[in-house]
Amino acid sequence: FALNLRKPSDNPSKLVGEAFNEEQVLSELEGSAHFQTLRDSSSLRAQLAFVFWNEADMIDLLKILETYPLQDQFVARLHNRLAFTGLAAFAMCHRKDCASYKALGEKCMSRFKFLSKNGSVNARPVYLFLKSMKSPSRDAFLKAIEACAEGGFVNLEAMINE
């Protein structure tokens, strides 16, 4: 998705560019190929929508992502998807029309809590970021910032600092 951000865009959370055009690619796929590609592109778009704080896209993408199981054979893909699904869910659940997304955010957060308790150093910064989004406070954000800095998660640290 980085290549699509190299040129100015009216909506940076849409994957339309020389490197990848989501709408075109999805229109050419069927069955599980379409299902899996939609999952992956929606996960990346949720990250972009969260970074650029595009509420409309976050809501649209949560509608898609909530239909997928909260497990995956590939840990890195699952980690990214659950992190940004959870962050977007907590970002949007304050809206009356999106209150149901709090439960989705909590499911995502519980996965990172479980991983953290079992020694995953990569899960702890994400867990604390999710926790700070669920119950915002200065202390919660400072703990998340510290964990991201210690773990080298400069991208998440920058997001939390915003």
Side-chain angles (χ1 to χ4, degrees):
F1 71 20
L3 291 175
N4 284 355
L5 294 174
R6 294 176 90 181
K7 293 183 181 176
S9 169
D10 292 337
N11 184 352
S13 60
K14 296 270 188 222
L15 296 177
V16 179
E18 294 174 30
F20 181 76
N21 183 321
E22 180 187 36
E23 194 173 304
Q24 178 187 348
V25 169
L26 287 172
S27 72
E28 297 169 0
L29 299 173
E30 295 178 3
S32 64
H34 181 273
F35 184 76
Q36 293 169 1
T37 303
L38 179 61
R39 174 202 58 210
D40 295 344
S41 64
S42 296
S43 175
L44 294 172
R45 288 187 58 216
Q47 183 175 353
L48 291 168
F50 182 79
V51 168
F52 291 103
W53 203 260
N54 184 325
E55 291 187 10
D57 280 357
M58 278 192 269
I59 292 167
D60 289 344
L61 294 162
L62 286 169
K63 288 176 187 174
I64 293 168
L65 291 168
E66 72 182 341
T67 66
Y68 288 88
L70 299 179
Q71 66 243 10
D72 196 315
Q73 290 179 319
F74 301 104
V75 176
R77 179 173 60 201
L78 178 65
H79 189 96
N80 188 69
R81 178 165 50 97
L82 294 185
F84 286 98
T85 297
L87 290 169
F90 285 137
M92 293 296 97
C93 73
H94 69 281
R95 294 172 48 138
K96 288 181 184 178
D97 59 331
C98 298
S100 65
Y101 289 131
K102 183 176 182 181
L104 177 60
E106 288 172 349
K107 287 177 186 176
C108 294
M109 188 171 71
S110 71
R111 174 73 178 169
F112 288 101
K113 182 178 182 179
F114 171 81
L115 292 171
S116 293
K117 284 187 174 187
N118 287 286
S120 172
V121 295
N122 290 332
R124 185 173 179 270
V126 178
Y127 168 67
L128 291 174
F129 191 4
L130 287 164
K131 191 174 175 183
S132 71
M133 289 295 293
K134 177 186 177 191
S135 302
S137 72
R138 178 171 168 69
D139 185 54
F141 283 113
L142 288 174
K143 284 180 182 176
I145 290 167
E146 183 180 311
C148 288
E150 287 173 5
F153 285 73
V154 294
N155 59 331
L156 295 183
E157 183 183 3
M159 287 178 223
I160 299 168
N161 275 305
E162 287 297 314

